[in-house]
Amino acid sequence: MRPDETTRLLPVTEPSGPGYGGTRAPRDPNDPVAGAPRGGGGSSPGKRQHGTRHVPRLPRVLAVVVALAAAAATVALWRIFVGTHQGQVVEELAYDGALLGRNWLWTVAEPLLDVVSVSFIVLGTVVSMGVALLRRRWSLAMQVAVVVVGSNVTTQFLKYSVFDRVNLGGESWWQNSLPSGHTTVAASVSVALVLAVPRTARPLVALLGAVYTGATGISTLVGQWHRPSDVVAALAVVLFWGALACALTTSSSLDPAPSSGARGARGASRAARGSGAGWVLAVLSAGAVVGGVAAAWALRHTIDVVESAAVITRREETIAYLGGAGAVVAATAVVFALLLALRQTVARSTARVPV
């Protein structure tokens, strides 16, 4: 072999790194292969290129639709059950039927209603905002405060300044009581917590919040503080503000982005599923169906009795009362199922990789 051929087989520079004394040959910045970091990608070594996180568009649109539907439902409930003779009579039967078992039911309902107060609203708002701030979700902290304050101010404004109640049914208590203030407080604080807590905790918080809110709403029926439409309208008010908060979700309120690596991928997959959100949504859906069917049957039966001008018995009042309780259960389940689903979907961040 000729000397010039031997020289051609030798490396231009000696390998660099531990155990070597040579230096690495400089890379050509115009060479896309030599300039790329090991493992692919076009960024410089030591700098990871992240995509821009953004809020999914479709869930935000759905949230707006839900908010508008909730506003329309609030007005419709007032128009049907407060603004018509038939609606007033139906609810009067449900109101009178609350005397059933009131003595022992009130021992449970009264302490539950006593929890609702201004201090409870303040405490619930502070806790919800604190959870959001601990998670470094600054805009979310403001959103949960707006949900609580907006819901309760709206309820009081509608009850005393917008909606009125003309005596069309010959009832003794004809002052307007729609929407229910106690139900609004319970629902708004519960919804604020659902929005504020981490993704994996939302299903359990939503389920507990639905139970507490539904119990509070039914307790107002037990104590004859409210009619069924009052409670359902209050839930619709809170649904409006909760859905509006979901529609206005910002990128800073999103759940953490999936981590890299096998373990991080598995954790992100569990978080994406919502850690039991499907089961909770199934339970809430079942409650909505059972309560809705019972309420629909009772309403149909009560309307038939009213239209036939039959003699009103204790049985008819009991059916109307239990139907009203079923409507509260169904409405509560629907509200918390919708807000849980909206929050889980709208908070799931997607990444746009810069070009």
Side-chain angles (χ1 to χ4, degrees), residues 27-36:
R27 290 176 176 172
D28 184 2
N30 297 321
D31 186 354
V33 177

Side-chain angles (χ1 to χ4, degrees), residues 15-347:
S16 62
Y20 294 95
T23 57
R24 188 187 300 264
R27 290 176 176 172
D28 184 2
N30 297 321
D31 186 354
V33 177
R38 187 172 300 174
S43 61
S44 59
K47 293 183 180 180
R48 185 177 299 172
Q49 193 168 13
H50 296 283
T52 302
R53 300 173 65 202
H54 72 283
V55 184
R57 180 177 301 176
L58 180 58
R60 298 178 71 173
V61 174
L62 293 177
V64 172
V65 173
V66 170
L68 294 176
T74 304
V75 177
L77 286 166
W78 169 75
R79 182 67 186 88
I80 294 172
F81 290 100
V82 180
T84 65
H85 167 75
Q86 188 178 75
Q88 287 192 3
V89 173
V90 166
E91 288 217 301
E92 182 68 12
L93 294 180
Y95 179 82
D96 293 338
L99 295 174
L100 173 68
R102 183 180 178 185
N103 291 334
W104 63 273
L105 285 175
W106 185 240
T107 60
V108 179
E110 185 178 18
L112 192 61
L113 294 176
D114 287 342
V115 173
V116 177
S117 61
V118 175
S119 59
F120 178 76
I121 298 176
V122 174
L123 179 61
T125 305
V126 170
V127 170
S128 301
M129 293 182 67
V131 172
L133 291 175
L134 286 175
R135 300 181 59 221
R136 300 181 182 275
R137 304 298 191 268
W138 318 115
S139 62
L140 181 59
M142 296 304 300
Q143 286 176 347
V144 297
V146 170
V147 168
V148 176
V149 175
S151 297
N152 287 277
V153 170
T154 299
T155 287
Q156 299 304 316
F157 178 69
L158 292 177
K159 182 188 298 187
Y160 296 112
S161 301
V162 177
F163 295 156
D164 59 354
R165 186 182 188 91
V166 179
N167 187 359
L168 302 175
E171 54 193 305
S172 56
W173 178 42
W174 55 269
Q175 292 87 353
N176 178 57
S177 57
L178 183 148
S180 164
H182 279 71
T183 306
T184 301
V185 171
S188 61
V189 171
S190 300
V191 167
L193 287 172
V194 172
L195 298 178
V197 298
R199 185 181 193 85
T200 54
R202 281 185 209 127
L204 178 60
V205 174
L207 183 60
L208 295 177
V211 172
Y212 169 65
T213 301
T216 301
I218 292 177
S219 294
T220 65
L221 303 184
V222 172
Q224 291 185 313
W225 289 12
H226 283 286
R227 307 170 179 91
S229 64
D230 302 344
V231 179
V232 178
L235 292 167
V237 169
V238 177
L239 177 59
F240 168 81
W241 284 100
L244 189 63
C246 290
L248 299 178
T249 297
T250 62
S251 58
S252 62
S253 301
L254 297 176
D255 293 327
S259 304
S260 59
R263 181 176 300 179
R266 287 193 298 269
S269 178
R270 288 193 296 269
R273 291 194 298 269
S275 295
W279 289 103
V280 171
L281 289 174
V283 171
L284 292 175
S285 299
V289 171
V290 173
V293 170
W297 178 83
L299 179 62
R300 182 69 265 173
H301 175 82
T302 305
I303 290 177
D304 291 342
V305 171
V306 172
E307 290 180 345
S308 63
V311 177
I312 304 300
T313 63
R314 176 62 64 184
R315 175 179 178 271
E316 312 307 329
E317 293 175 347
T318 301
I319 291 176
Y321 169 55
L322 295 178
V328 172
V329 171
T332 303
V334 168
V335 167
F336 279 86
L338 284 174
L339 290 179
L340 174 60
L342 285 175
R343 178 60 181 154
Q344 292 292 75
T345 53
V346 80

